[in-house]
Amino acid sequence: MARNEEKAQSMLNRFIAMKNEEKRKPKERRPYLASECRDLADADRWRGEILREIGVKVAEIQNEGLGEHRLRDLNDEINKLLRERVHWERRIVELGGPNYTRNSAKMTDLEGNIIDVPNPSGRGPGYRYFGAAKKLPGVRELFEKPPEMRKRRTRYDIYKRIDASYYGYRDDEDGILEKLEASAEKEMRERAEAEWWKTEQIRREAKNAVKSGEVMTVEPTTKEILFEEVEDVVEEERRERERDEMERSIQQEFVAHVPLPDQREIERMVLEKKKVELLSKYTSDLLVEEQKEVMDMLNVQR
């Protein structure tokens, strides 16, 4: 019994739906060309319909399990709807409506960053990729940023970074070097003062001894300094002695294999050379005069 009631109820529902469809106006189809629309309200309604279709397809294309072919088809359909939306927005402006193209969406990469790629795929200007279509083979490379090439610094760039701190002129400004050198400076100062006191003590003792005329006793500190001075003198004398011996050995080792002229022989050779030069100059002058006389005689005969 219940089965028959269910059948009757379903038939009633279908009958009521059919009657409602008959009462409704026939469903309008969106014009193929936006220029065929003459009403601003209708153009705005068709634009809203296109935006709803785009939203449905963009939500569908986020699923990576649809397959490569389905993703590519969905992406093509979305781009087709986007181009159609642009036509309707332009038509709305022509009919006196608002300009929707001012706040158009920008293209983004896989991380959501806005990029400026006017024609990334070669399929015409303004072609875009959405959702999982960005990860398809051959498309991912379009959105990947090329690795930054490290530019090699030139000699000019290196010299441009050189300042006073490079040459160590600002080492004292940080205060670190001053702390490190404080202990060494203290030791050097104490050593210099000790040496000065030693020499001053020797000078005073020597002065007192000269005034009194007594024999001065050498104290350990004085003996040490005097010994150092004597050692320096001895070392200098030893170097001079070695230098003289070296010169003497060089002179002794020199052997003359040919007879060397003495001072008189050298003077005689120089005098002979001067005589030869004077004679050659005198003979050359005589030859020039004879040639002139011959030329004059020939000229007179002519």
Side-chain angles (χ1 to χ4, degrees), residues 228 230-248:
E228 291 178 357
V230 171
E231 188 176 11
D232 294 339
V233 174
V234 171
E235 181 68 20
E236 188 176 356
E237 291 179 355
R238 184 179 63 80
R239 290 177 182 175
E240 290 181 358
R241 194 181 307 110
E242 289 179 356
R243 196 182 301 110
D244 295 339
E245 291 178 357
M246 187 179 296
E247 292 177 357
R248 195 179 303 109

Side-chain angles (χ1 to χ4, degrees), residues 144-170:
E144 291 179 353
K145 296 179 180 180
E148 296 182 358
M149 299 297 294
R150 187 175 180 182
K151 186 179 179 181
R152 186 176 180 181
R153 291 192 302 172
T154 60
R155 189 181 295 273
Y156 172 74
D157 296 334
I158 296 173
Y159 285 154
K160 191 167 59 175
R161 297 174 180 269
I162 294 177
D163 52 3
S165 59
Y166 176 82
Y167 295 101
Y169 294 139
R170 296 178 181 172

Side-chain angles (χ1 to χ4, degrees), residues 28-43:
E28 292 185 71
R29 295 185 59 184
R30 188 168 64 241
Y32 183 76
L33 297 176
S35 58
E36 297 177 358
C37 182
R38 306 295 179 185
D39 188 8
L40 177 61
D42 292 340

Side-chain angles (χ1 to χ4, degrees), residues 11-151:
M11 291 178 65
L12 179 61
N13 291 335
R14 282 184 288 174
F15 177 76
I16 294 172
M18 184 178 64
K19 287 295 183 182
N20 292 333
E21 287 291 336
E22 290 178 356
K23 293 179 181 179
R24 290 178 184 176
K25 295 180 180 180
K27 187 177 180 180
E28 292 185 71
R29 295 185 59 184
R30 188 168 64 241
Y32 183 76
L33 297 176
S35 58
E36 297 177 358
C37 182
R38 306 295 179 185
D39 188 8
L40 177 61
D42 292 340
D44 202 356
R45 180 164 57 89
W46 296 131
R47 177 183 176 275
E49 183 180 343
I50 292 172
L51 290 177
R52 286 191 293 273
E53 293 179 7
I54 291 173
V56 172
K57 293 184 182 296
V58 168
E60 185 181 358
I61 203 174
Q62 304 298 325
N63 186 6
E64 298 182 6
L66 294 177
E68 180 179 351
H69 299 289
R70 179 57 182 162
L71 290 174
R72 291 186 184 277
D73 292 341
L74 277 174
N75 201 77
D76 291 341
E77 293 173 5
I78 294 172
N79 279 276
K80 182 179 178 181
L81 290 172
L82 288 174
R83 290 194 296 272
E84 192 173 352
R85 185 201 66 180
V86 173
H87 295 321
W88 282 104
E89 289 176 351
R90 191 181 299 116
R91 182 58 180 169
I92 290 171
V93 174
E94 292 175 356
L95 294 174
N99 187 4
Y100 294 104
T101 59
R102 293 177 181 176
N103 300 323
S104 59
K106 303 293 184 180
M107 183 177 292
T108 59
D109 57 6
L110 296 175
E111 299 176 357
N113 301 321
I114 296 175
I115 57 176
D116 185 14
V117 184
N119 188 9
S121 61
R123 305 186 62 175
Y127 191 87
R128 300 180 180 180
Y129 290 92
F130 300 88
K134 295 180 180 180
K135 300 180 181 180
L136 293 175
V139 180
R140 180 187 294 270
E141 291 78 4
L142 300 175
F143 296 93
E144 291 179 353
K145 296 179 180 180
E148 296 182 358
M149 299 297 294
R150 187 175 180 182
K151 186 179 179 181

